[in-house]
Amino acid sequence: MTTTLLLALDLVAAILTAAAWIGAAVLASGLRPVAPPDSAGSDGPATRRRRAGLTLALFGLGVLGVVAQGVFVALLAGGGWWFVQEKVVFALPLAGLAAIGGGILAAPALVRLARGHGTALGARGTAALVGAAAAGVAGVVARLVIGYPLELLPALVLLALVLLAAALAHAVAAGRPKRVVTGLAAFSALVLVASLGVVWLTSAALPGALAAAHEHVPTEARAADGVSVTALRTPADSPGAVRAFELTARHQEVTLASGTTVSAWTYGSLPGPELRVTQGDLVEATLHNADIDAGVTIHWHGFDVPAGEDGVAGVTQDAVLPGDSFTYRFVATDPGTYWYHTHQVSADGVRRGLYGTLVVLPPTGVPEDVDLTVPLHTVAGAVLLGDSDTAVARSVPAGASVRLRLVNTDQVPHRFRLDGAPFTFVAADGRDLIGPTPVTGKSLRIPAGGRLDLSVTMPESGVRLSSNASTEAVLSLAPDGAVIPGPVPEAADDLDLLPDLDLLQYGTPGGAGLPAGDGRVDATMVLDRNPRFLGTRPVYGYTVNGAVFPHIPSIEVSEGNRVRLTVVNRGWDTHPMHVHGHHVLVIERDGIRSTGSPLWLDTFDVQPGEVWVVEFVADNPGIWMDHCHNLDHAAEGMMMALTYRGVTSPFEQGGPHSNRAE
Ligand code: C2O
Ligand code: CU
């Protein structure tokens, strides 16, 4: 059974347990001492017997639910502690105690009542059943609301609320004076409201953990033993042939190939201009903002620039407001396929069209004769493959080799297929793969933000590139430049018939490997979805280790550290995790080691229930964002920082530039 299935089964068992025990507690309220015979609404003896029987049955059902939870949790534990912690240390013991308490204090009386002996359940029995109901609810809350990690304080609060519920039920059932009952009820409400209030206040309070990266270093000390991200930039006189680009961000009505007009935000075109440079060039890109009121930046996705050139609003620079400009500079050290996009209000800006591609060629060029960059992007409901939302055909002579650089600039993973000839994968996320072998009959899954380069030799009959995103936007390459008809039946779903190629098993090992580094850092990111406060706003947030941006503690490293990052997905969504400033080497996924070509990625898709282990060497000092590239998830909390000790930033979220990295 998969981890996700076990998580679902455990959750269902927990909810059923809570529901059964709530039912039992509600029914039990009708089993109080018999009222005077003439009073209206009191049950006859037969009804009471049935009610007692049903209460007992519901209680028993809840106990079965607890047993089921125990089984599922035991199986789930094989997937890792992160999936079971709150269940093992809190929910299950509490449910077990509730089952025992109910078994001792309520069950015997219920049996007697059901048989027609006995007259009432008694205060203790009632309290046990109400306590069990509360324990059941607490188990669900621990799983869904608190998540991983469940810390001592929230656990104690939940426990206190369960005990208070039982005490309250006891007071009512035992006919305690009204002020005792009201007092208990008021105290329970106070505990609940106060704990929510504390959570709200800590969320609302800034600076959060990210801001703390620059807050904890006193200003005077910064110059002495710290370095600001503004100093981590590329000097204008760096060696290399200068390649200057001007990009102007603006509102633009763009008429697509199909005739549809979309109102987009662009860097001058849709997609933005492809920046094509050669290894060793000094890239100088000047960004102007014509009229994007929200502000704009350029982040060089996957290209590991110096921190000050990284383009994250409120972390490495201020957002560029209308009329302003900013010049990015970096040496094109690493050949490969990259892309660029705004990192100011990025969930909105990228979707509207603030993106383009960056290609760095090796000094001698690529081995292929034809080299095409094909970003896939959805804008205002239209799917663009390259720059077209309709079928495009290009003529390529038979026998010519073609490199296709596939870039997924959307929020969700896309699957591509190339029909017509076997192809090889030559690079992933801008890093060459070793020992690629020909592939046929496989689809290529690319995470949001990821890139795959493939190479194919043109057959007489041509090749056809399509994706699950659209049946219209398809690229045909053929000697006669004809549109290649799709596989029959023509449907994007055809992709489902093809298995995904697993890059962890593709190619052959080799290469330089990961430098040993000095000092090890182990960090874990447990991804989930929980109700949280984003600032002051309640959201069903995307969490890392139970927190949302900017309150997720940064991963702190020193230059030279070897960092091992374990990323765990406890939720139901896919999270394309993106690490700025570094490429990570994939070590294993779900305990299965990567045995193919070393896989150096900057964006990797952590699907529900998966556990990825990746490593990298901290060789690029800065404050780096580390986030989900489903930018909606990032905007709802799934964003944190990797910070180098001693690096500070004068920028902050908000402020006069309304900086908003996500
Ligand atoms: Cu492509 Cu932080 O992003
Ligand atoms: Cu996500």
Side-chain angles (χ1 to χ4, degrees):
M1 271 190 273
T2 66
T3 301
T4 307
L5 179 60
L6 286 169
L7 280 171
L9 289 173
D10 164 72
L11 183 61
V12 169
I15 291 173
L16 284 180
T17 301
W21 282 351
I22 290 171
V26 170
L27 283 179
S29 67
L31 296 172
R32 289 201 259 155
V34 189
D38 57 328
S39 81
S42 82
D43 298 334
T47 320
R48 264 178 103 76
R49 278 216 303 277
R50 238 179 293 124
R51 181 183 278 262
L54 198 53
T55 309
L56 189 63
L58 281 175
F59 176 72
L61 192 63
V63 174
L64 281 182
V66 177
V67 173
Q69 288 175 48
V71 172
F72 296 138
V73 167
L75 293 172
L76 199 48
W81 181 239
W82 320 281
F83 296 110
V84 296
Q85 183 247 0
E86 85 286 15
K87 306 168 183 87
V88 170
V89 304
F90 180 78
L92 273 180
L94 188 61
L97 283 179
I100 294 169
I104 295 173
L105 299 174
L110 288 173
V111 171
R112 260 180 274 121
L113 280 170
R115 289 203 176 133
H117 316 309
T119 53
L121 177 58
R124 283 187 182 179
T126 309
L129 291 182
V130 171
V137 172
V140 175
V141 168
R143 286 169 170 88
L144 292 183
V145 179
I146 297 180
Y148 180 92
L150 173 63
E151 279 159 354
L152 187 60
L153 199 58
L156 288 178
V157 170
L158 277 182
L159 186 61
L161 287 170
V162 170
L163 294 175
L164 281 167
L168 190 56
H170 189 275
V172 173
R176 291 271 183 284
K178 203 159 187 195
R179 63 191 156 75
V180 175
V181 174
T182 337
L184 271 173
F187 184 63
S188 314
L190 185 72
V191 171
L192 185 65
V193 170
S195 39
L196 286 178
V198 167
V199 171
W200 186 82
L201 280 175
T202 31
S203 305
L206 284 168
L210 178 64
H214 51 84
E215 291 299 333
H216 72 246
V217 185
T219 319
E220 323 76 65
R222 282 182 205 172
D225 48 350
V227 52
S228 165
V229 285
T230 55
L232 297 170
R233 300 207 51 190
T234 310
D237 59 356
S238 299
V242 175
R243 295 292 313 276
F245 301 96
E246 304 273 329
L247 295 167
T248 302
R250 56 159 45 101
H251 284 89
Q252 205 180 345
E253 296 290 315
V254 182
T255 303
L256 304 174
S258 65
T260 323
T261 300
V262 294
S263 64
W265 298 359
T266 73
Y267 287 114
S269 55
L270 200 61
E274 177 180 318
L275 312 185
R276 202 168 253 264
V277 301
T278 302
Q279 185 176 21
D281 286 350
L282 177 61
V283 179
E284 238 179 54
T286 302
L287 166 68
H288 307 281
N289 182 351
D291 59 4
I292 306 293
D293 293 330
V296 57
T297 66
I298 297 178
H299 165 61
W300 308 96
H301 183 117
F303 196 93
D304 302 329
V305 295
E309 314 287 353
D310 200 41
V312 181
V315 178
T316 68
Q317 67 173 99
D318 279 324
V320 177
L321 297 178
D324 290 348
S325 35
F326 189 98
T327 300
Y328 299 89
R329 201 173 273 118
F330 57 92
V331 180
T333 40
D334 303 306
T337 307
Y338 310 95
W339 64 295
Y340 62 89
H341 62 80
T342 187
H343 223 301
Q344 158 75 354
V345 201
S346 49
D348 200 26
V350 176
R351 194 187 322 261
R352 286 170 185 263
L354 287 171
Y355 76 103
T357 55
L358 165 70
V359 172
V360 180
L361 296 168
T364 51
V366 288
E368 290 82 5
D369 307 312
V370 179
D371 183 358
L372 298 172
T373 311
V374 198
L376 176 73
H377 196 81
T378 307
V379 56
V383 175
L384 295 182
L385 190 63
D387 59 2
S388 174
D389 63 338
T390 58
V392 168
R394 295 176 72 123
S395 110
V396 173
S401 57
V402 182
R403 175 179 286 235
L404 290 171
R405 301 172 185 267
L406 309 182
V407 188
N408 180 0
T409 59
D410 266 344
Q411 313 296 314
V412 291
H414 283 307
R415 298 171 72 223
F416 294 80
R417 64 185 287 170
L418 185 74
D419 291 292
F423 56 89
T424 53
F425 270 109
V426 286
D429 281 5
R431 296 292 178 271
D432 288 348
L433 297 177
I434 298 174
T437 47
V439 179
T440 40
K442 297 267 173 141
S443 66
L444 329 169
R445 181 189 161 105
I446 308 186
R451 289 89 59 213
L452 283 182
D453 293 15
L454 45 96
S455 181
V456 62
T457 301
M458 188 56 46
E460 280 295 345
S461 48
V463 297
R464 178 181 192 273
L465 176 73
S466 58
S467 78
N468 66 326
S470 165
T471 47
E472 314 293 319
V474 167
L475 175 64
S476 300
L477 305 174
D480 58 1
V483 172
I484 317 270
V488 182
E490 167 69 69
D493 295 350
D494 283 352
L495 268 168
D496 293 337
L497 303 175
L498 298 184
D500 289 333
L501 182 95
D502 185 2
L503 281 186
L504 267 69
Q505 321 298 338
Y506 182 75
T508 51
L514 195 65
D518 50 79
R520 292 199 58 125
V521 173
D522 266 287
T524 304
M525 296 168 72
V526 179
L527 315 176
D528 204 348
R529 196 161 190 204
N530 312 101
R532 288 294 179 270
F533 293 106
L534 201 61
T536 54
R537 184 165 62 93
V539 291
Y540 187 26
Y542 290 93
T543 53
V544 180
N545 301 336
V548 290
F549 180 81
H551 295 279
I552 305 167
S554 301
I555 297 170
E556 284 212 14
V557 299
S558 298
E559 191 172 355
N561 284 168
R562 178 155 167 169
V563 186
R564 186 179 177 92
L565 194 58
T566 304
V567 188
V568 180
N569 190 345
R570 260 179 63 115
W572 315 105
D573 303 86
T574 290
H575 300 297
M577 298 311 290
H578 173 49
V579 184
H580 283 213
H582 304 78
H583 272 69
V584 301
L585 179 64
V586 177
I587 306 297
E588 58 179 52
R589 183 190 56 220
D590 290 341
I592 298 169
R593 291 187 73 85
S594 162
T595 53
S597 164
L599 201 51
W600 294 91
L601 302 178
D602 53 66
T603 315
F604 51 99
D605 241 351
V606 187
Q607 298 187 51
E610 284 185 350
V611 179
W612 286 65
V613 178
V614 302
E615 290 192 354
F616 62 97
V617 168
D619 57 2
N620 193 6
I623 299 176
W624 301 101
M625 301 318 293
D626 199 348
H627 63 93
C628 178
H629 221 284
N630 181 323
L631 298 170
D632 292 323
H633 296 183
E636 298 280 276
M638 199 168 271
M639 168 137 118
M640 61 183 291
L642 168 77
T643 57
Y644 281 64
R645 288 190 187 84
V647 179
T648 62
S649 167
F651 306 106
E652 57 189 13
Q653 299 296 304
H657 292 253
S658 304
N659 292 328
R660 268 191 53 196
E662 80 304 347

